């Protein structure tokens, strides 16, 4: 009997688990939100991940349940766990990925380096935080944000009035998260895989470049990273994985500050855009590693295969033709570029693919990845 | 509209096209011989590849037709081509992979280095060849052989009497192929990709180790390969690809003789066991390259990613448990090993998976691949 992994969500992260699952010989089953999604090839069910019956029926046919996203409600996760089906990451860990206030509070308990933050219940509290932090701050809705959504830089509390109003209407009530606006030199990401038995595998810390709140480029490992940075990032990643009980892939988004500190920005408990380079640049890609971790198999070697790797996202994509129509020109110019597309219709700003390049020369690797990805622009 | 590649045959070669197809964003469709085959995930049809109607109906839904094996009859290939559907490799090239006598004759026309050979119609002619070549020779049925089947080392013509008898009953009639028994130091393989427009990509020549006529191990590139060997192998591979009009992946199995010559042993016009190392060891794996070639897309960089790669087949597999039951032990000991399994039931001698390792040290790479594969033995 093949090992069966069930993935809730049919997006590109589920899709990119297909290749390593087929190669290992693991049966991947996907509960997709809709027909024709990115991971359609492996979709064995279509249904609403917020419906416990739907998820439970899907989960009963697999050895372990995992996710393409962190949005499955706690009560649904509980129903699956109550049925005795392994869920990785588990509900207790996912809580910290689902609610940024809980995440901040827990990271504080763990002594992790973070931006100054507070839970604010109204504009007065928010304004007080802004005033105490140089007149600007970042306000975040604790739940439901991604790719820059639910994040707002404000200089007056009135700019978040609509969010407070929305919270007041939410049965869960609650607060907004406010954080100091960090003066950072660059953004980094640390990936760690952790299996239920506790083993962890630490990827090299990478440099990420966001545009409009969306990941645009990643360079691995992070250039000009000293031994201290590498060590601190790995320690923070491992401490969070263990402290939060994460199983599967964890990505910790980090700020490197102008005064040389590392601060935790966001968490993702799943394969993450900052790790797409590992598909072609690491001995064990993050998607294979996630499958191994959630199956509680020994983790693979996370070492880079090449001195440098670069990943450039294809955002939006061509408006009038298909991504594959650009293959001839892109491949002709860049025979070493690894082109990945997600089977998604182009739409402005949407992640529809990415390009990985790897090699010995940092500048060349970055240039090749950018130039190849540019062939897929509108 | 996604590019659609149709593969006739649902074996592990079709299966291993799934991963690069998904990553590129190419739609792979497989016409499998049966339910539950190795490439079942991509199987969109089940039917007899010897039936023109079946193959034609399948082919009408794809942009190009290609193959997991070389056994599709010429009349079926002709029917697909007549319908205006691109077929790669085409019928004219496949003829030389389907009939070893035609292959030998054509390679002779091209001036390729070969063992002495002859087409023999009966035991007298065969005995004459044996006598003229030191009392031993290799007899081969021109059609239908693979993995050592249809190949016999003989020292007397009477040892092939059953094959002559079978030929006499075959409506096509015909002859047997006899070849000198080559005194070789080792076997090599040269892979070349060629697209319809003529572009070729040449992989490094590799060393292969056969056991009982079945590929057991591959080391890439071939150790102790001098510049002349590398050049000759590449020239032979490219000349055959062009001379026979091969499109897609071509593997040329070679003997390196004790007197330092390179002789062509066999051909395969598809991804080949000697190229499985490229999945983890080359910038462009042979399965991606085959898809690019048959789609007439620019070919990918065939360069190795590491100084050394080794591939060790999992032959037979465990009798009493599943391959995946061996994952914990194998992965624990060999975190850098890339384990590939084919979703096939274990059976003595059957190819059910392989292990790839890559790195800087030849001995270590070979050791790791062998040791990891050994965990899957009976």
């Amino acid at each position: 009997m093949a090992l069966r992994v069930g993935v809730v969500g049919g997006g590109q992260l589920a899709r990119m688990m297909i290749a390593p699952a087929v190669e290992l010989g693991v049966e991947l089953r996907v509960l997709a939100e809709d027909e024709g999604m990115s991971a359609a090839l492996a979709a064995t069910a279509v249904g609403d991940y917020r419906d416990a019956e739907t998820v439970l029926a899907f989960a009963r046919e697999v050895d372990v349940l995992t996710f393409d996203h962190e949005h499955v409600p706690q009560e649904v996760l509980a129903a699956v766990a109550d049925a005795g089906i392994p869920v990785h990451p588990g509900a207790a860990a996912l809580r910290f990925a689902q609610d940024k206030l809980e995440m901040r509070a827990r990271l504080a308990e763990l002594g992790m380096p973070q931006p100054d933050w507070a839970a604010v219940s109204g504009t007065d509290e928010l304004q007080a935080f802004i005033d105490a932090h140089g007149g600007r701050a970042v306000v975040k809705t604790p739940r439901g944000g991604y790719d820059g959504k639910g994040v707002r830089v404000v200089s007056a509390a009135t700019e978040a009035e609509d969010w407070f109003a929305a919270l007041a209407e939410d049965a869960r009530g609650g607060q907004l998260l406010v954080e100091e606006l960090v003066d950072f030199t660059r953004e980094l990401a640390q990936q760690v895989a952790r299996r239920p038995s506790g083993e962890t595998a630490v990827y090299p810390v990478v440099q990420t470049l966001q545009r409009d709140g969306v990941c645009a480029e990643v360079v691995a490992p992070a250039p000009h990273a000293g031994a201290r940075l590498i060590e601190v990032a790995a320690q923070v990643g491992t401490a969070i994985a263990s402290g939060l009980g994460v199983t599967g892939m964890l990505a910790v988004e980090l700020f490197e500050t102008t005064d040389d500190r590392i601060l935790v920005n966001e968490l993702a408990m799943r394969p993450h855009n900052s790790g797409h380079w590992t598909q072609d640049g690491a001995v064990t890609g993050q998607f294979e590693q996630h499958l191994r971790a959630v199956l509680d198999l020994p983790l693979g070697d996370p070492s880079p295969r090449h001195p440098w790797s670069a990943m450039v996202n294809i955002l939006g994509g061509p408006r009038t033709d298909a991504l594959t129509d650009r293959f001839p020109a892109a491949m002709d110019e860049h025979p070493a570029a690894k082109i990945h597309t997600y089977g998604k219709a182009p739409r402005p700003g949407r992640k529809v693919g990415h390009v990985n390049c790897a090699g010995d020369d940092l500048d060349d690797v970055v240039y090749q990845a950018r130039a190849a990805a540019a062939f897929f622009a509108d």
Side-chain angles (χ1 to χ4, degrees), chain A:
Chain A
M1 185 65 128
L3 298 169
R4 295 161 308 174
V5 175
V7 185
V8 178
Q12 66 261 26
L13 301 180
R15 178 192 183 97
M16 290 188 272
M17 293 179 206
I18 296 174
V22 169
E23 287 310 316
L24 277 176
V26 165
E27 188 180 331
L28 195 77
R29 295 181 175 214
V30 170
L31 172 61
E33 293 84 339
D34 233 318
E35 304 285 346
M37 289 196 65
S38 192
L41 180 64
T44 54
V46 170
D48 187 348
Y49 61 79
R50 294 163 300 188
D51 179 63
E53 283 306 310
T54 300
V55 175
L56 202 49
F58 174 74
R60 286 193 199 283
E61 303 296 319
V62 298
D63 297 312
V64 57
L65 194 72
T66 188
F67 310 96
D68 170 84
H69 58 69
E70 293 117 336
H71 307 317
V72 177
Q74 285 286 319
E75 55 273 22
V76 175
L77 299 170
V80 177
D82 287 349
I85 300 158
V87 180
H88 296 295
L94 275 171
R95 204 160 55 98
F96 302 111
Q98 293 176 334
D99 190 309
K100 291 175 184 171
L101 275 172
E102 299 210 36
M103 187 263 286
R104 286 290 177 217
R106 180 71 182 127
L107 294 188
E109 285 174 8
L110 292 172
M112 293 293 107
Q114 305 193 77
D116 276 354
W117 65 278
V120 288
S121 303
T123 46
D124 288 356
E125 285 177 25
L126 176 55
Q127 191 60 52
F129 187 95
I130 293 169
D131 294 344
H133 289 84
R136 292 175 79 193
V138 184
V139 186
K140 297 180 178 180
T141 56
R143 295 168 161 270
Y146 66 96
D147 280 356
K149 295 182 181 63
V151 176
R152 209 177 271 173
V153 177
V154 300
S155 49
T158 48
E159 295 173 56
E161 268 176 342
D162 54 333
W163 283 355
F164 282 118
L167 278 183
E169 284 174 26
D170 185 334
R172 287 182 300 212
Q175 301 169 299
L176 293 181
L177 170 64
V178 60
E179 299 173 358
E180 68 169 312
L181 186 66
V182 173
D183 203 4
F184 62 86
T185 50
R186 59 175 172 170
E187 292 188 72
L188 305 169
Q190 174 66 57
Q191 285 195 301
V192 175
R194 183 171 176 277
R195 53 188 287 219
S197 59
E199 184 197 1
T200 55
V202 179
Y203 284 86
V205 62
V206 303
Q207 176 177 315
T208 67
L209 179 69
Q210 266 68 236
R211 285 200 198 96
D212 301 327
V214 178
C215 177
E217 296 183 13
V218 172
V219 176
H224 319 297
R228 191 185 140 274
L229 169 63
I230 292 167
E231 194 187 321
V232 170
Q235 280 173 352
V236 166
T238 308
I240 293 175
S242 303
L244 271 51
V246 179
T247 41
M249 288 298 304
L250 167 71
V252 182
E253 296 182 51
L254 299 163
F255 295 122
E256 186 175 31
T257 66
T258 48
D259 57 349
D260 232 18
R261 290 177 303 149
I262 294 292
L263 302 176
V264 176
N265 181 19
E266 306 267 1
L267 304 182
M269 295 181 192
R270 48 172 169 78
H272 188 251
N273 204 158
S274 65
H276 289 357
W277 69 274
T278 63
Q279 293 177 302
D280 302 297
V283 174
T284 310
Q286 67 165 343
F287 298 98
E288 176 181 345
Q289 196 74 287
H290 188 73
L291 295 175
R292 292 167 77 138
V294 301
L295 284 163
D296 203 14
L297 289 170
L299 301 177
D301 182 353
S303 304
R305 289 179 181 277
H306 304 272
W308 298 106
S309 292
M311 189 287 314
V312 175
N313 272 341
I314 301 171
L315 295 171
R319 221 173 314 187
T320 52
D321 50 355
L323 280 169
T324 50
D325 292 342
R326 309 292 177 90
F327 278 2
M331 290 176 172
D332 194 45
E333 283 288 318
H334 302 285
K338 305 308 297 177
I339 298 166
H340 303 258
T341 75
Y342 307 155
K344 291 162 69 174
R347 186 196 296 165
R350 192 182 206 193
K351 292 175 179 173
V352 294
H354 67 275
V355 175
N356 287 333
C357 286
D360 297 333
D361 184 87
L362 172 59
D363 288 343
D364 183 61
V365 160
V366 172
Y367 165 75
Q368 295 288 343
R370 283 181 186 165
F375 278 95
F376 298 93
D378 188 36

